[in-house]
Amino acid sequence: MGLLNVFDIAGSGLSAQTVRLNTVASNMANASNVSTKEGDVYRAKMPVFASVMQGVNNDSSSQGVRVLRIEESSLDASKVYDPGNPLANKDGHVYQANVNSIEEMANMISASRSYQNNVEVMNTAKQLMQATLKLGQ
Amino acid sequence: MNFFDKALGSHAQALSLQSRRSSVLASNIVNADTPNYKARDIDFKQVLKSSQGDMLKLTGSKSGHIGSSGSGIKGSDLKYRIPLQPSLDGNTVDLDQEKAAFTENAMRYQTTLQFLTGRFTGIKGALKGE
């Protein structure tokens, strides 16, 4: 049944976009984290999406989406001279999280738009199913 | 072909195909952010025609055969869209196009439902003989 599949597909999109929003929130919250050593500092995280077969009969026509893994940004943490900071090393430097706030904001808007799209698809499918149930009445 | 198949015409099959197409288009929309995903669609006219052909072919050669519903989409029916604006990550989903196609498909589905309702009303009227 095609229309019931739509719920599974759009639902997988909703959860994947939620994971994406979660990583954005985590990145934004940790944007001003600093650390003494470069290895310890927070690194920006981002999800990697992949399509996945959906539905009971595993036909290739319906493909949902899932989060394959969460990757950490490979950008270097920037070194800032801040001798007053309690976390500063003996040269007076601290390492800052490699989060780009502007990039994260754009990512957040993109994720929320995709979420809205999927909700809309679900709503349409629901209306169509309700109309089908009333058929012949 | 029994009485109801004749009375309902191709609308029942069209309805089933449209619901399958909605799941294909939903897949495109949900994978708008997936790297290397290629948007797909079905050629509705062609698939409807071929499924009707199947139906004629499969109407029982022996008593006890169950006729095929003839509305499944085979893998070969799915065609890849030609991308208008391919993106760097290999994704070919054009969200506007897909949303338009999804809405159009929903409208067609409701139209088919209307036609079917009309047919049922006709049959009811004939049965009552009022």
Side-chain angles (χ1 to χ4, degrees):
Chain A
M1 178 71 200
L3 278 176
L4 277 173
N5 264 346
V6 174
F7 285 99
D8 291 342
I9 296 165
S12 76
L14 292 185
S15 60
Q17 298 298 343
T18 309
V19 170
R20 192 171 163 203
L21 271 177
N22 268 330
T23 60
V24 170
S26 154
N27 291 347
M28 295 289 271
N30 288 291
S32 49
N33 269 15
V34 290
S35 167
T36 319
K37 277 185 272 176
E38 192 178 5
D40 293 346
V41 74
Y42 179 86
R43 291 186 174 277
K45 292 166 183 22
M46 55 196 78
V48 178
F49 288 168
S51 57
V52 59
M53 296 288 182
Q54 201 75 248
V56 276
N57 43 2
N58 255 356
D59 58 350
S60 62
S61 66
S62 43
Q63 295 200 325
V65 66
R66 73 188 170 101
V67 177
L68 199 63
R69 59 177 184 276
I70 309 276
E71 290 244 318
E72 289 200 332
S73 167
S74 56
L75 284 174
D76 287 335
S78 56
K79 200 160 92 171
V80 180
Y81 183 64
D82 188 6
N85 197 313
L87 287 172
N89 59 18
K90 61 182 186 317
D91 300 328
H93 285 111
V94 287
Y95 290 92
Q96 230 167 18
N98 59 353
V99 177
N100 184 341
S101 307
I102 298 164
E103 221 170 74
E104 296 302 332
M105 288 299 279
N107 219 342
M108 182 188 78
I109 294 168
S110 170
S112 73
R113 289 284 176 269
S114 296
Y115 193 95
Q116 283 170 358
N117 273 334
N118 289 325
V119 171
E120 222 168 284
V121 166
M122 249 184 183
N123 260 331
T124 308
K126 185 182 123 192
Q127 278 167 9
L128 289 183
M129 288 196 83
Q130 281 175 336
T132 315
L133 285 174
K134 289 200 194 96
L135 181 65
Q137 278 177 15
Chain B
M1 235 188 209
N2 63 23
F3 165 72
F4 276 106
D5 284 336
K6 266 186 218 158
L8 300 180
S10 59
H11 293 305
Q13 277 179 314
L15 198 71
S16 170
L17 262 186
Q18 274 152 355
S19 81
R20 297 296 297 274
R21 187 174 178 226
S22 73
S23 83
V24 175
L25 294 173
S27 300
N28 289 344
I29 293 174
V30 87
N31 280 296
D33 299 317
T34 310
N36 288 319
Y37 179 85
K38 310 290 180 214
R40 297 172 310 169
D41 199 358
I42 55 171
D43 186 347
F44 189 82
K45 209 176 184 179
Q46 195 197 327
V47 178
L48 185 64
K49 206 191 250 175
S50 72
S51 69
Q52 279 171 330
D54 284 351
M55 184 115 166
L56 285 178
K57 235 185 289 164
L58 284 179
T59 318
S61 57
K62 271 184 192 160
S63 64
H65 274 181
I66 300 170
S68 152
S69 68
S71 58
I73 301 177
K74 296 182 285 291
S76 55
D77 293 330
L78 287 164
K79 304 261 192 310
Y80 289 104
R81 268 204 214 292
I82 298 165
L84 290 168
Q85 222 177 347
S87 62
L88 212 57
D89 63 357
N91 186 303
T92 63
V93 178
D94 181 349
L95 205 52
D96 299 315
Q97 196 187 359
E98 299 303 337
K99 275 175 82 176
F102 189 82
T103 312
E104 184 219 311
N105 189 56
M107 291 308 297
R108 285 183 186 275
Y109 188 91
Q110 283 180 322
T111 313
T112 311
L113 278 182
Q114 283 291 328
F115 276 124
L116 278 173
T117 309
R119 295 283 171 110
F120 280 127
T121 316
I123 294 170
K124 270 186 196 165
L127 286 173
K128 280 179 190 160
E130 285 166 350

